[in-house]
Amino acid sequence: MGKVELTVDRVAKFSCEAGKSQSFLWDSKVAGLAVRATASGTKAYIFQSKLAGATIRITLGDVRTWAIESGRTGRKGAREEARRLQTMIDQGVDPRQAKAEAMAADAARVLAREAEQAEATRRDMTVGEVWSAYIDARRYKWSDRHLADHHNLAYFGDDKVHGALAALMPLKLAEIDSEQVKAWLRSEAAVRPTQAALAFRLLRAFLNWCADTPKFRDIAADAACQARIAKDALPKRVAKADCLQREQLPAWFAAVRQIPNSVICAYLQVLMLIGSRREELAGLKWEDVDFRWRSITIHDKVEGERTIPLTPYVASLLACLPRRNEWVFSSPAASSGRLSAPCVQHHRACTIAGIEDMTLHGLRRSFATLSEWTEVPTGVVAQIMGHKPSATAERHYKVRPLDLLRMWHTKIEAWILSEAGILQPAEDARSGLRAITTA
């Protein structure tokens, strides 16, 4: 077919000849420009020319997208594009290669812009965002208590109860330097030095992890938590010596027994009477308590677990608790379903009793100290409390059966209750042991 001047009507009416896969309608105004129609019904503008003796053909685009001439429609003009391509060929440039290079350059610019944006986003990450990534990466190596410390110290609540690290969480990781840490630590140490010291240790481990993690290595200042900062900001650590005295027992028991929450009331008394660690007791399950053979299995951090006697008064306290779930000291309000640490209620009870600075761990210390009044062997108390054996004889030769521990432990409980003015329940007659009561 000869060349004709391409018009809108001619392009619209043009179709592929019967029996052919494609047909061309060449433009008489611009050399190399044509409309190609295929047997499937599609039509597109193409450009054809020769470069270095070889024929090249380039598809410009669908006729519905391209106009013949550039105009008010805003669509690209096929004739204008054909002229531009011919100019490039006349200059010895292959339009196909030029297009590929332009596309590659555009892609490189997009990648560079995205990388720049990603870097800006990375450097704008807050401590809280990276802290979450840190926990996810390390939690499988931590104990439940250590994991809880990381969550609690970073907690920022609507109830104005904030963790010691909460003030740092909204800040950018890149902003955390030694001066920032020093100011934060001094502020926290003034109101809660023990929590501030723990928070500083966790923050230091966190920044060390950042320094070893490629994604955050060049953002975090690992020198922000140097030991000298804690030495200057934190008060000198003094071993706690809080312990209930013999004469304080009546007031303490009276105040604790007035706590309206029966679970907390029982928890504090049991904690005092068995000398366990507070989390060991909070994690006690009903399956760990054997009322028939009067024993308690406690899961500890030393041997994994230990079995101690279920003394008469402790048994009476546990028997009265509601069995709402698997936990002995259950708490419907807690997400875990169990009591965590009733420090507030204990502090209130101690205030009523006129006892100052008594911690939950101080009750464990009280059990060990008050036991000396009964002249119980030191190794017995250590075995009940879950202390590591401190001498060769204790470690290798003395294995005390539960019955022997029960005899001594019941004696300890009886003495403490007697001093508090509380009657110890009689032991089960089936045990074959003498019932012990106090007036």
Side-chain angles (χ1 to χ4, degrees):
M1 180 180 291
K3 296 182 179 181
V4 297
E5 181 179 349
L6 296 180
T7 63
V8 174
D9 289 340
R10 285 173 177 165
V11 171
K13 294 176 181 179
F14 178 65
S15 61
C16 184
E17 297 180 27
K20 292 185 176 182
S21 60
Q22 59 182 2
S23 299
F24 296 91
L25 180 62
W26 297 95
D27 186 28
S28 60
K29 293 188 67 175
V30 176
L33 177 64
V35 175
R36 179 182 60 197
T38 64
S40 63
T42 62
K43 286 186 284 187
Y45 290 108
I46 63 101
F47 172 75
Q48 182 172 298
S49 186
K50 285 191 175 185
L51 176 64
T55 299
I56 61 173
R57 180 180 293 175
I58 302 173
T59 300
L60 304 184
D62 194 289
V63 296
R64 293 170 296 182
T65 305
W66 289 69
I68 300 173
E69 296 280 5
S70 300
R72 297 179 181 178
T73 61
R75 294 189 294 169
K76 296 180 180 179
R79 286 194 177 107
E80 182 180 357
E81 181 64 10
R83 293 188 185 99
R84 186 184 72 83
L85 295 177
Q86 186 60 55
T87 300
M88 295 177 66
I89 291 173
D90 292 343
Q91 295 173 349
V93 177
D94 188 338
R96 297 168 300 179
Q97 182 178 351
K99 181 179 180 180
E101 292 174 351
M103 291 177 64
D106 288 342
R109 282 192 292 271
V110 170
L111 290 176
R113 185 165 56 251
E114 291 177 348
E116 184 177 347
Q117 292 173 348
E119 177 63 14
T121 300
R122 188 175 72 93
R123 291 193 169 275
D124 286 340
M125 292 186 74
T126 64
V127 175
E129 292 171 332
V130 184
W131 186 263
S132 296
Y134 171 60
I135 291 177
D136 290 340
R138 302 289 296 174
R139 65 189 309 156
Y140 70 97
K141 293 187 175 182
W142 295 341
S143 66
D144 292 341
R145 182 63 198 174
H146 195 58
L147 177 61
D149 285 339
H150 283 78
H151 285 302
N152 294 337
L153 289 172
Y155 176 73
F156 192 94
D158 297 332
D159 52 2
K160 296 183 180 180
V161 178
H162 310 316
L165 285 169
L168 297 178
M169 293 296 129
L171 302 180
K172 293 181 181 179
L173 181 61
E175 296 175 348
I176 304 300
D177 55 19
S178 58
E179 292 302 317
Q180 183 79 51
V181 172
K182 188 182 298 183
W184 158 78
L185 188 57
R186 284 176 177 170
S187 175
E188 290 294 330
V191 294
R192 42 184 173 183
T194 302
Q195 286 291 296
L198 174 60
F200 179 81
R201 293 194 297 271
L202 298 190
L203 180 63
R204 188 175 186 181
F206 164 69
L207 292 178
N208 287 337
W209 175 82
C210 290
D212 291 336
T213 304
K215 184 177 180 180
F216 310 112
R217 181 176 298 155
D218 57 340
I219 302 178
D222 56 326
C225 278
Q226 296 178 358
R228 60 177 176 79
I229 296 177
K231 184 177 181 181
D232 294 338
L234 292 173
K236 186 177 180 180
R237 294 184 65 182
V238 178
K240 288 187 176 181
D242 54 329
C243 175
L244 287 173
Q245 302 301 311
R246 178 182 182 181
E247 59 272 16
Q248 293 175 325
L249 289 174
W252 184 87
F253 270 96
V256 168
R257 295 176 78 184
Q258 293 300 315
I259 295 176
N261 187 315
S262 61
V263 174
I264 295 177
C265 175
Y267 172 84
L268 293 174
Q269 292 181 82
V270 174
L271 193 63
M272 163 66 195
L273 291 169
I274 69 173
S276 71
R277 301 171 182 89
R278 64 181 190 180
E279 282 300 312
E280 292 175 352
L281 185 58
L284 189 67
K285 297 181 179 180
W286 286 113
E287 64 185 24
D288 300 324
V289 181
D290 190 337
F291 286 98
R292 180 183 180 187
W293 301 111
R294 294 177 297 128
S295 66
I296 300 176
T297 300
I298 293 181
H299 302 276
D300 62 29
K301 65 179 185 180
V302 179
E303 300 295 340
E305 67 177 36
R306 67 182 186 276
T307 301
I308 66 172
L310 177 60
T311 50
Y313 186 71
V314 171
S316 68
L317 291 174
L318 299 187
C320 294
L321 293 179
R323 299 202 178 200
R324 291 178 285 217
N325 52 32
E326 61 182 320
W327 307 105
V328 174
F329 301 101
S330 59
S331 175
S335 59
S336 63
R338 69 175 178 88
L339 202 63
S340 53
C343 300
V344 175
Q345 292 85 347
H346 183 234
H347 177 73
R348 186 179 295 118
C350 287
T351 301
I352 294 173
I355 301 171
E356 297 181 356
D357 301 325
M358 177 57 59
T359 64
L360 293 180
H361 192 76
L363 298 181
R364 175 173 165 85
R365 189 178 295 109
S366 300
F367 175 81
T369 303
L370 293 170
S371 296
E372 295 184 5
W373 284 93
T374 61
E375 299 181 352
V376 176
T378 303
V380 170
V381 177
Q383 189 171 337
I384 293 172
M385 297 179 66
H387 279 153
K388 288 184 177 180
S390 58
T392 302
E394 289 292 335
R395 185 178 297 115
H396 298 294
Y397 300 112
K398 291 188 178 180
V399 180
R400 298 178 181 87
L402 186 62
D403 280 350
L404 181 58
L405 288 180
R406 182 180 295 110
M407 181 188 72
W408 289 112
H409 198 174
T410 302
K411 182 178 180 181
I412 296 171
E413 180 186 87
W415 184 87
I416 292 175
L417 293 176
S418 176
E419 293 298 319
I422 301 172
L423 183 67
Q424 183 186 44
E427 290 186 305
D428 192 331
R430 291 173 299 172
S431 66
L433 297 179
R434 179 173 56 86
I436 299 176
T437 60
T438 60

